[in-house]
Amino acid sequence: MASIFFSSSRRKMLACSRPLPFLFTRRRLHQPYNSLTESDVQIFSEILGHNPSLLLQASDPIVHAASTDWTGHYWQAPARLLLRPQTTAQISALLAHCHQRRLPVVPQGGKTGLVGGSVPTVAHEEIILQLQYLNQITALDPVLGIVTCQAGVVLENLQDYCANHSWLVPLDLGAKGTCQIGGNLATNAEGPYFRKYGCLAGNVLGLEVVLADGRILDYNYRLSNNMKDNTGYKWHQLFLGSEGTLGIITGVTLACAPLPRSKQAAFVACSSYDQVLLVLQKAKQYLGEILAAMEFMDAAIWKLVEASGRHQMPLSVETILSESAVQEGGPFFLLIDTHGSNANHDQEKWQTFLEAVQDDILNGVLAQDIKQYQSFWQIRESANPTVAQLGYTYKYDVSLPIAQFQDWIQEMRLERLGPLARNESSSLVNANWGHILDGNLHFNVTTIGKREVQKDVLDALEPYLFHSILKRGGSISAEHGLGQAKNHLLPSVHDEHTLDLMRSLKALLDPRMILNPGKFLPAK
Amino acid sequence: MKILVGVKRVVDYAVKVRVAQGTVELANVKQSMNPFCEIAVEEAVRLKESKIAKEVVALSIGPKQCTETLRTALAMGCDRGIHIQTDLRTDYMELQPLAIAKMFQQIIEQKENPDLILLGKQGIDSDCGQVGPMLAGLLQCPQVTFAAKVESHDSGFLVERETDAGTESIHIQTLPAVITCDLRLNEPRYATLPNIMKAKKKPVETILAETMGIDLTPRNQVLQVIEPPPRKDGIKVADVDALIEKLKNEAKVLA
């Protein structure tokens, strides 16, 4: 029982050290689970048609890889079993058996999540159930732009398929080449286009879900062309963002947006955060309905991306600093992206906007062709991988009032990171970026050259960071979700009534608690 | 020294080209400066920045939207633009390299008299690579194509030229000369906002193509435009033996 009372800090420290002795892992939550037996493996094998590539055991390096997440923070030991069903019916049969035998399961998509939600936990012996073979795009209505596909479709593949028919999937992420649409839905992923194309959940017209006991539920998934339907509770929305704890999403019907004919992007550099706010307001005012995204990158992350040498950078921190005075933490960079239906109209809007912000920026560049437009986004999307390569990164994803971003960053730097004793050999950098239009900031602290969590850094950051965000009325997890990284914080965020409601829903849909134990909800 | 740079407006490099009504579809398709012309502009601007050239003039031929392409060239550092306006398609379907070269020749001989003419090695729409050599022939002047490096040398230029076997160094001893630019020559700069603003004030002169007195009829007739046939599906083999058998007997790539 000891594990559930550990704070995230201790859990992380354990997660990064060597696997725990077997005796320790026997202590489970109050819902007892059974251990996997040969007979279970035989039954799974039969369900999967005795196909040896669909059922892998711990000794296989693939299982090893599947048991550790993208950040590398949550590794303990390879899962005992990895299942790779090819159909919803197989998933239904597998879960029915797991439910009957009380075997815990962790559903896994692209495994690009940043809160350890897609890998086994310390305390349980989950079976990994991968969705990747449910990868068919079954239908696209070319007139309405409604696409129906299975949960294992890689996001970029879905984007390309829909784009070929002039439709835009209303979701884009840096992880698009690996993440799957099922995982995106289960985590309610957002990314930079939230403001223009809305919440992903709002674009879901149909959903197919398999419950913990194997029942298959269909919300307008097979009747795929209804844009509007008010025939009951919108129960399907419960599963969106539930991180695989209420059911496994196996299929979705999604409403797409018309593929924009004209896409323009510019990077601008500002000397102060006040200027950033001015540019943001003017962008909303002058670019109006074509404004699709605005991404913030501070000087620290810009310099790290510059130093990685992988991109031709349109602007240079050093050059800017040699020419102008900037606020501490600056210069600040903004990637401004517009989507429109007419290039001439868009260019007119851009001209008015650029004239309006001439005095608010130090410099900027406007993409002249598609390749430059794509490079700008590559620069922005390389923020996360760049810091990940430099060392252990303490990652935080918060919502804050937009006007307070830099103020909060300074607070963290001065009050918590500054006092940390650091010398030349153990440098620490705080790099920040985010979807500034949505008030979403990604606050990252990296210990350069060190691949393990350091207690003093962790203690400097947690739990202070979470409390200071809550004090400012923000969210401790804007879009990355809870997983096993932040679930323990929920009692600070929600009152008991809310937590009880969430627990009741969990008990209703997964009474044996076999789906993704130890995640999303805090242990009681 | 004055440099004349050719800039061509083409379907953007990243666009998936489609065939419609028996020809390449241009309607509602994003068009941008030809990537090799970007490299030519960059080289011209660098020569100006290193004080070898005093003035850089950009020349573009095409519809009225070519002024946007010229504005990009001006934002990258060119001083003036000349737009020869025509609604003839410049992707080989109507206007072809010889006519283009003749128009360049007229501007060069009767108007600008540049010391150096920098062009992209080819347009990514027509893939001809002919305007450079044809122009040099019409002007009776030296030419170096596929330049990977350009250095001022004596009163001329030392150019490294790409070939299939490696690079050759060519010394251009007399000017004017024509150099066509290849990928390795440089990495074009981004257009910064202050420069984009300044570019709006730089002069762009428009000349109507039909007033130049040049025969623009195409010399070659385009018979058919089709998309490449779709790739055949691959097959999965059961094991390595089957793979070797197929490589030997079907693909015939193993002895």
Side-chain angles (χ1 to χ4, degrees):
Chain A
M1 295 292 260
S3 66
I4 54 169
F5 296 114
F6 284 163
S7 68
S8 149
S9 51
R10 296 292 297 276
R11 192 180 301 156
K12 278 189 185 174
M13 295 204 63
L14 287 168
C16 294
S17 57
R18 39 175 228 289
L20 295 164
F22 180 73
L23 196 62
F24 197 93
T25 62
R26 291 287 265 179
R27 294 169 168 195
R28 300 276 163 73
L29 296 184
H30 56 280
Q31 287 280 352
Y33 299 111
N34 290 318
S35 283
L36 198 60
T37 64
E38 247 324 290
S39 141
D40 293 316
V41 177
Q42 278 311 306
I43 292 171
F44 292 143
S45 181
E46 183 165 341
I47 292 169
L48 296 172
H50 295 298
N51 184 332
S53 60
L54 303 183
L55 186 154
L56 304 174
Q57 307 217 38
S59 51
D60 193 316
I62 292 179
V63 180
H64 203 270
S67 306
T68 184
D69 80 311
W70 190 88
T71 64
H73 294 182
Y74 300 100
W75 162 253
Q76 31 283 336
R80 294 277 302 278
L81 198 65
L82 173 63
L83 301 174
R84 302 167 129 183
Q86 295 176 314
T87 65
T88 302
Q90 284 177 347
I91 294 180
S92 170
L94 293 170
L95 281 186
H97 182 78
C98 290
H99 177 82
Q100 191 249 315
R101 282 275 299 132
R102 289 185 198 272
L103 299 171
V105 172
V106 52
Q108 190 178 90
K111 203 163 61 69
T112 56
L114 300 171
V115 289
S118 54
V119 290
T121 55
V122 175
H124 313 98
E125 288 186 344
E126 297 96 318
I127 296 162
I128 302 178
L129 195 151
Q130 284 188 335
L131 273 291
Q132 67 196 68
Y133 288 144
L134 270 77
N135 59 5
Q136 297 304 301
I137 300 171
T138 43
L140 168 60
D141 182 321
V143 172
L144 293 175
I146 297 177
V147 65
T148 301
C149 68
Q150 295 183 308
V153 173
V154 170
L155 181 61
E156 192 166 28
N157 290 346
L158 187 62
Q159 290 174 334
D160 289 344
Y161 181 91
C162 294
N164 271 339
H165 296 91
S166 299
W167 290 101
L168 180 79
V169 171
L171 174 69
D172 194 23
L173 303 171
K176 67 191 105 181
T178 310
C179 65
Q180 296 166 13
I181 189 66
N184 294 144
L185 293 162
T187 55
N188 197 36
E190 297 299 355
Y193 291 118
F194 173 77
R195 184 174 175 274
K196 180 143 172 68
Y197 296 108
C199 178
L200 181 62
N203 292 309
V204 171
L205 301 177
L207 202 68
E208 183 185 74
V209 182
V210 181
L211 296 181
D213 61 6
R215 278 180 292 164
I216 303 173
L217 292 188
D218 174 340
Y219 177 84
N220 279 345
Y221 175 66
R222 269 170 269 269
L223 303 170
S224 43
N225 289 347
N226 293 327
M227 299 231 57
K228 297 168 82 166
D229 175 72
N230 270 349
T231 58
Y233 293 129
K234 299 277 183 286
W235 57 265
H236 67 298
Q237 293 274 331
L238 277 175
F239 296 91
L240 305 175
S242 65
E243 301 184 28
T245 56
L246 295 181
I248 297 185
I249 295 170
T250 51
V252 64
T253 302
L254 210 55
C256 293
L259 193 69
R261 290 235 182 95
S262 158
K263 298 209 279 194
Q264 319 288 338
F267 260 123
V268 301
C270 297
S271 67
S272 71
Y273 195 70
D274 281 340
Q275 279 194 339
V276 165
L277 293 175
L278 267 177
V279 172
L280 187 146
Q281 279 170 310
K282 290 183 184 177
K284 286 198 210 174
Q285 183 185 350
Y286 291 97
L287 297 172
E289 67 276 13
I290 65 168
L291 182 61
M294 193 180 296
E295 298 290 291
F296 169 78
M297 293 172 74
D298 73 357
I301 187 60
W302 193 271
K303 281 203 293 223
L304 290 176
V305 174
E306 255 175 334
S308 77
R310 283 205 199 88
H311 305 276
Q312 185 195 0
M313 306 297 285
L315 297 162
S316 147
V317 169
E318 219 180 281
T319 313
I320 291 173
L321 289 177
S322 71
E323 291 167 0
S324 328
V326 303
Q327 184 191 13
E328 186 165 354
F332 305 100
F333 297 87
L334 289 173
L335 171 61
I336 304 168
D337 182 9
T338 62
H339 290 179
S341 55
N342 185 311
N344 291 333
H345 298 175
D346 291 358
Q347 270 153 18
E348 258 189 65
K349 286 194 168 79
W350 269 96
Q351 284 314 306
T352 342
F353 167 65
L354 290 174
E355 273 162 33
V357 295
Q358 284 190 88
D359 299 322
D360 303 324
I361 59 175
L362 293 172
N363 204 349
V365 285
L366 185 64
Q368 297 295 306
D369 54 40
I370 299 180
K371 176 159 163 279
Q372 290 187 358
Y373 174 93
Q374 288 170 343
S375 327
F376 287 3
W377 274 102
Q378 279 161 14
I379 288 171
R380 162 60 186 89
E381 285 171 354
S382 70
N384 197 5
T386 300
V387 293
Q389 283 184 348
L390 292 171
Y392 188 98
T393 302
Y394 305 78
K395 306 186 68 62
Y396 301 95
D397 159 53
V398 297
S399 276
L400 264 184
I402 298 170
Q404 293 184 31
F405 275 16
Q406 189 56 20
D407 188 60
W408 180 73
I409 291 171
Q410 284 301 98
E411 178 192 321
M412 292 300 298
R413 284 182 174 177
L414 294 171
E415 312 272 321
R416 310 301 298 177
L417 296 175
L420 285 173
R422 275 287 173 288
N423 56 37
E424 277 309 302
S425 67
S426 58
S427 62
L428 181 157
V429 64
N430 161 239
N432 306 289
W433 61 87
H435 317 298
I436 194 172
L437 268 186
D438 314 327
N440 184 189
L441 180 68
H442 297 310
F443 177 89
N444 287 259
V445 176
T446 305
T447 45
I448 312 239
K450 294 257 187 298
R451 301 270 158 207
E452 259 137 40
V453 67
Q454 321 253 252
K455 187 175 187 319
D456 63 335
V457 179
L458 193 57
D459 288 345
L461 293 168
E462 296 183 29
Y464 179 94
L465 185 145
F466 301 122
H467 296 319
S468 77
I469 288 291
L470 290 173
K471 223 164 45 176
R472 288 169 183 259
S475 164
I476 55 157
S477 184
E479 56 180 11
H480 290 175
L482 302 167
Q484 54 180 308
K486 295 182 203 163
N487 51 340
H488 65 284
L489 296 165
L490 285 196
S492 322
V493 178
H494 299 300
D495 61 30
E496 263 314 296
H497 296 309
T498 311
L499 290 173
D500 275 342
L501 175 61
M502 293 200 214
R503 289 185 185 115
S504 307
L505 289 167
K506 171 71 171 175
L508 174 69
L509 291 165
D510 180 19
R512 296 191 172 184
M513 312 268 282
I514 63 162
L515 290 177
N516 240 351
K519 306 212 186 97
F520 196 78
L521 286 177
K524 218 166 162 150
Chain B
M1 177 184 293
K2 184 199 282 192
I3 302 179
L4 182 78
V5 184
V7 294
K8 191 178 186 190
R9 180 172 178 265
V10 298
V11 171
D12 190 296
Y13 167 73
V15 165
K16 183 168 190 265
V17 172
R18 287 183 220 235
V19 174
Q21 272 121 36
T23 187
V24 170
E25 185 178 39
L26 293 180
N28 294 314
V29 166
K30 169 97 178 122
Q31 302 203 38
S32 317
M33 191 190 293
N34 185 38
F36 296 110
C37 299
E38 275 183 3
I39 294 172
V41 170
E42 176 63 27
E43 198 61 21
V45 172
R46 287 188 190 187
L47 286 168
K48 186 176 153 203
E49 283 169 348
S50 52
K51 308 270 194 267
I52 295 163
K54 250 175 109 179
E55 195 187 14
V56 180
V57 183
L59 171 60
S60 191
I61 304 173
K64 65 174 165 55
Q65 290 92 334
C66 283
T67 51
E68 286 160 28
T69 317
L70 284 168
R71 290 289 163 206
T72 302
L74 295 171
M76 287 172 72
C78 297
D79 300 295
R80 281 190 288 122
I82 301 174
H83 173 209
I84 299 178
Q85 188 170 317
T86 173
D87 284 327
L88 293 171
R89 284 176 73 128
T90 51
D91 59 350
Y92 202 81
M93 304 303 164
E94 290 172 344
L95 205 57
Q96 290 179 354
L98 184 58
I100 293 171
K102 285 183 179 173
M103 286 193 268
F104 266 78
Q105 179 193 17
Q106 191 183 99
I107 298 292
I108 288 165
E109 288 178 342
Q110 295 177 23
K111 203 175 179 310
E112 293 293 332
N113 290 300
D115 303 285
L116 178 65
I117 298 108
L118 283 174
L119 304 173
K121 73 168 177 180
Q122 65 198 60
I124 59 169
D125 47 5
S126 58
D127 271 343
C128 290
Q130 294 168 12
V131 171
M134 282 180 174
L135 179 59
L138 291 168
L139 296 173
Q140 295 280 292
C141 76
Q143 61 168 282
V144 179
T145 52
F146 319 141
K149 192 157 181 219
V150 171
E151 267 174 345
S152 171
H153 187 82
D154 291 341
S155 48
F157 288 96
L158 197 59
V159 184
E160 265 182 41
R161 176 173 184 267
E162 306 269 34
T163 73
D164 286 339
T167 55
E168 53 185 3
S169 290
I170 301 181
H171 179 201
I172 300 177
Q173 294 174 303
T174 63
L175 299 178
V178 174
I179 297 178
T180 77
C181 304
D182 206 337
L183 264 185
R184 265 204 310 139
L185 179 56
N186 61 46
E187 207 162 344
R189 66 193 60 193
Y190 289 101
T192 63
L193 296 181
N195 287 342
I196 292 173
M197 290 297 169
K198 280 191 223 147
K200 287 203 271 189
K201 304 201 181 74
K202 294 183 181 176
V204 173
E205 188 189 339
T206 305
I207 301 168
L208 297 175
E210 48 274 21
T211 63
M212 292 177 81
I214 296 172
D215 180 10
L216 303 178
T217 32
R219 298 301 241 247
N220 298 316
Q221 186 193 353
V222 174
L223 297 175
Q224 194 189 23
V225 178
I226 51 171
E227 286 186 20
R231 270 181 62 177
K232 270 174 45 192
D233 281 343
I235 54 163
K236 275 193 179 153
V237 290
D239 51 35
V240 176
D241 289 331
L243 174 64
I244 293 177
E245 192 268 323
K246 295 236 181 261
L247 289 174
K248 258 196 200 155
N249 300 324
E250 278 185 36
K252 299 205 203 288
V253 292
L254 286 183

